[in-house]
Amino acid sequence: MLKLIVMKEGKTVQLTDKSLFDRKIKRVIISEDEIHKKIAEYGSKLSNEYEGKPLLLVSILKGAFVFLSDLTREIKIPCEVGFMAAKSYFDSTCSSGDVQIVYDLAQDISNYHVVVVEDIIDTGRTLLTIADMLKARNPLSLKILTLLDKPERRVVDLSADYSLFTIPDYYIIGYGLDFGEYYRNLPYIAEYDPE
Ligand code: 5GP
């Protein structure tokens, strides 16, 4: 089924239209080169910190899939990967809400040092809930690594242990992040143009 996007004027336009797709990319915020340099730096950091330890990288689908894929190739020590997917039901006034895990890890994490690999931390509510769930499974340790962080949007007490880029409150697309399921395939990080 084709996805639809509703434009400001009320017209409904398909985002499969390439010229519209391009027009909605307002500007590049972080280039491909900057992303890869930073990932190499953090891959090396993790390789040093976890050498000799059982390391499990847990990625939250779908947004972090591109990041995880590049990050793993910059980690030079043995490690495993696992995936989770969650649906969040929050209302605008409530800082804690309901997160439903729709896909869970296959591993028992009690014998691993876990690093949660996230695409972006916005309000922090989804990740706080997931981190609490994972901590309750008694991993050897648990840290949070995020590609992007929007600290000014935070509504809960959560901070990443590793944050590659801090950004202002833009709606970001590309490098795994979507708008209406599109734009995940952009190799860079851009601002989406809602106009
Ligand atoms: P939080 O619970 O921190 O508010 O939500 C985090 C999730 O919201 C992210 O994993 C991501 O899926 C989505 N999100 C937050 N900000 C953005 C953004 O600027 N662009 C996109 N594409 N998704 C975002």
Side-chain angles (χ1 to χ4, degrees):
M1 198 180 85
L2 289 172
K3 289 269 160 47
L4 303 176
I5 176 174
V6 179
M7 304 287 285
K8 206 179 171 193
E9 320 82 71
K11 273 193 293 176
T12 303
V13 186
Q14 287 177 356
L15 240 188
T16 42
D17 174 337
K18 165 86 170 114
S19 62
L20 174 62
F21 178 89
D22 290 343
R23 253 189 293 136
K24 301 295 240 171
I25 303 169
K26 193 167 179 181
R27 67 197 167 98
V28 175
I29 307 264
I30 308 168
S31 71
E32 220 177 321
D33 192 41
E34 286 174 284
I35 296 171
H36 289 290
K37 276 194 184 128
K38 200 61 120 176
I39 289 180
E41 184 190 322
Y42 277 81
S44 148
K45 227 179 243 216
L46 291 177
S47 305
N48 291 332
E49 188 168 332
Y50 289 94
E51 190 171 356
K53 296 178 181 169
L55 173 62
L56 174 65
L57 303 168
V58 173
S59 175
I60 314 297
L61 295 170
K62 299 177 191 172
F65 82 102
V66 179
F67 176 39
L68 178 80
S69 142
D70 283 341
L71 178 70
T72 50
R73 283 172 288 179
E74 294 294 342
I75 294 179
K76 310 297 181 193
I77 56 169
C79 66
E80 293 181 39
V81 297
F83 296 93
M84 289 179 86
K87 262 191 190 155
S88 307
Y89 306 92
F90 294 118
D91 66 54
S92 55
T93 56
C94 183
S95 65
S96 68
D98 193 13
V99 174
Q100 187 196 345
I101 303 297
V102 292
Y103 183 79
D104 206 345
L105 293 170
Q107 295 95 333
D108 165 4
I109 62 172
S110 61
N111 292 321
Y112 290 97
H113 291 275
V114 172
V115 175
V116 179
V117 178
E118 181 60 307
D119 53 353
I120 186 164
I121 309 179
D122 185 41
T123 65
R125 294 186 292 200
T126 310
L127 196 52
L128 182 69
T129 313
I130 289 178
D132 284 346
M133 279 179 196
L134 291 176
K135 277 181 203 156
R137 299 180 192 180
N138 298 313
L140 297 172
S141 68
L142 186 130
K143 285 195 174 177
I144 293 171
L145 179 147
T146 187
L147 174 66
L148 299 163
D149 194 359
K150 290 185 195 169
E152 68 192 58
R153 290 265 307 158
R154 206 75 91 249
V155 298
V156 294
D157 184 17
L158 175 91
S159 53
D161 299 282
Y162 309 98
S163 171
L164 277 63
F165 298 99
T166 298
I167 55 165
D169 182 20
Y170 301 131
Y171 192 83
I172 294 301
I173 49 171
Y175 202 71
L177 288 118
D178 74 312
F179 178 82
E181 293 299 326
Y182 288 96
Y183 298 104
R184 296 192 196 275
N185 53 323
L186 298 180
Y188 50 81
I189 291 163
E191 183 182 359
Y192 179 76
D193 187 351
E195 297 307 311

